[in-house]
């Protein structure tokens, strides 16, 4: 399964969990969002999944996660040094 399809499937799952939709209803809402905001279906899906992950992460205790996997994640965290990257 490719990354695009996986992202869309995850987003559909988020909408099913949040709204109690059928898979078809969730997909229709995702398509409607894409159309209404003039973004691709993939962008809508990835954005929804990213927001859902942030909310889920904020609601869970992270001490054991940090202890177990913190070292692995440390090198992958973006550094906020206050310097804005300008292209």
């Amino acid at each position: 399964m490719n990354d695009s399809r996986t992202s869309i499937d995850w987003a559909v799952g988020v909408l099913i969990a949040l709204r109690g939709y059928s898979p078809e209803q969730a997909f229709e809402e995702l398509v409607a969002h894409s159309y209404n905001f003039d973004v691709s279906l993939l962008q809508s899906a990835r954005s929804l999944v990213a927001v859902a992950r942030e909310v889920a992460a904020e609601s869970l205790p992270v001490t054991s996660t940090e202890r177990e996997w913190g070292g692995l994640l440390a090198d992958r965290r973006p550094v906020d040094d206050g310097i804005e990257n300008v292209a």
Side-chain angles (χ1 to χ4, degrees), residues 33-53:
H33 177 274
S34 299
Y35 179 79
N36 292 335
F37 290 92
D38 195 27
V39 295
S40 73
L41 183 62
L42 184 56
Q43 282 179 296
S44 291
R46 286 181 175 163
S47 296
L48 176 58
V49 170
V51 169
R53 284 184 175 152

Side-chain angles (χ1 to χ4, degrees), residues 4 8 15 22 26-28 42 50 70 81 83 86:
S4 299
I8 293 167
L15 290 172
S22 69
F27 184 75
E28 287 172 10
L42 184 56
D81 56 9
I83 300 172
V86 180

Side-chain angles (χ1 to χ4, degrees), residues 61-70:
V62 295
T63 21
S64 61
T65 303
E66 284 289 334
R67 234 185 348 251
E68 184 72 22
W69 298 296

